[in-house]
Amino acid sequence: MKITELQKKIFPDIREYAQTPLLNVFISECNLSCIHCPVAESLGTGKKVMLNTLLENIGREFEKDTELPDVVVISGGEPLMFFETAILCSALLSMGKKVYLKTNGTGDLRNIPAEVIKLVYFKLISSGEAGEFFFENLAVLSPDDVLVFKIFSTEDMDFAFRLLVNLDMNAVKFRFIFRLMDGIFSQDQIEESFRLHFDKNQLLRPEYDTLI
């Protein structure tokens, strides 16, 4: 698999560690070309690393920094482009690490261990990749997992809610995060959208958080 160097990074979307640097394995390849990609400059810059070497390097990072939380975040790019990602997740779990996987959801999550906490970024209109998704993934998401919507525009909001109202919320186990980008929307506007789409039609609301 191709990665850049291991880095320590803060992930606001991981609410449990929102202010804490975590060890990040950054996969430098991606199958999408999102317009607002925050890591576009880093894509394609990684070097191929053997899995055993990567695990040794991860172990050394924790030995060097004893205050580092026992957490590894695998992000990209798109980690599911590589079959080794599932093996890496299993190995990290065996090392006693808590593992987060950030993905665009276009690949198959069914091979990823259930213990891995998955943050799945559903692509909306402003991304330029709207609707690119492997919908079977929704069935494997657990209560610890999160479906993330990055809202850049009114069109993004409408697209997200069209998806939500077509889901059976009685069957949905995962949580939702609305990431409000560029200060376009407020918490009150999100709540108004829920009243319009869910309360008015007597639909069961999903559990959700917002990030600004």
Side-chain angles (χ1 to χ4, degrees):
M1 58 200 317
K2 290 185 177 181
I3 70 163
T4 61
E5 62 182 341
L6 297 174
Q7 54 189 334
K8 297 169 189 175
K9 186 176 176 182
I10 291 176
F11 293 91
D13 295 353
I14 300 178
R15 303 299 293 271
E16 298 86 346
Y17 299 95
Q19 303 299 322
T20 306
L22 303 174
L23 187 64
N24 178 214
V25 178
F26 181 83
I27 308 296
S28 63
E29 302 296 316
C30 192
N31 60 327
L32 300 182
S33 299
C34 296
I35 293 170
H36 296 288
C37 180
V39 295
E41 293 183 359
S42 299
L43 297 178
T45 63
K47 296 180 180 179
K48 191 170 183 178
V49 178
M50 298 299 293
L51 189 58
N52 286 344
T53 301
L54 176 57
L55 289 168
E56 290 173 1
N57 291 341
I58 290 171
R60 279 195 284 269
E61 289 294 326
F62 283 103
E63 289 174 2
K64 287 191 296 184
D65 187 349
T66 57
E67 295 185 0
L68 193 64
D70 276 338
V71 176
V72 178
V73 181
I74 305 171
S75 69
E78 180 43 55
L80 294 182
M81 287 182 65
F82 296 93
F83 75 90
E84 294 99 332
T85 297
I87 303 172
L88 172 62
C89 288
S90 295
L92 291 171
L93 291 169
S94 297
M95 292 166 61
K97 307 304 178 188
K98 189 173 185 177
V99 181
Y100 288 86
L101 175 69
K102 299 183 66 171
T103 173
N104 60 34
T106 57
D108 194 342
L109 282 168
R110 289 175 292 188
N111 294 324
I112 300 298
E115 298 89 343
V116 173
I117 299 174
K118 305 159 196 74
L119 287 86
V120 183
Y121 293 77
F122 191 90
K123 298 305 176 183
L124 303 174
I125 300 296
S126 292
S127 72
E129 299 282 4
E132 292 291 334
F133 196 73
F134 186 64
F135 279 90
E136 286 81 354
N137 284 334
L138 296 179
V140 302
L141 298 182
S142 75
D144 289 328
D145 300 327
V146 184
L147 191 66
V148 183
F149 298 119
K150 285 189 173 183
I151 307 293
F152 285 91
S153 67
T154 301
E155 290 78 14
D156 287 344
M157 183 79 80
D158 291 342
F159 195 87
F161 273 93
R162 285 203 300 273
L163 170 70
L164 288 175
V165 297
N166 285 293
L167 294 178
D168 179 3
M169 290 302 164
N170 288 301
V172 167
K173 300 176 182 177
F174 50 90
R175 298 172 292 143
F176 296 87
I177 287 180
F178 287 83
R179 186 89 186 266
L180 308 181
M181 312 301 292
D182 297 339
I184 295 174
F185 291 95
S186 67
Q187 170 69 48
D188 289 342
Q189 287 170 295
I190 295 287
E191 184 61 23
E192 179 59 29
S193 291
F194 271 102
R195 283 194 291 268
L196 178 64
H197 290 87
F198 283 83
D199 299 350
K200 183 178 178 180
N201 298 305
Q202 298 184 328
L203 297 175
L204 181 65
R205 280 182 177 225
E207 187 175 331
Y208 76 98
D209 293 308
T210 55
L211 284 174
I212 298 175

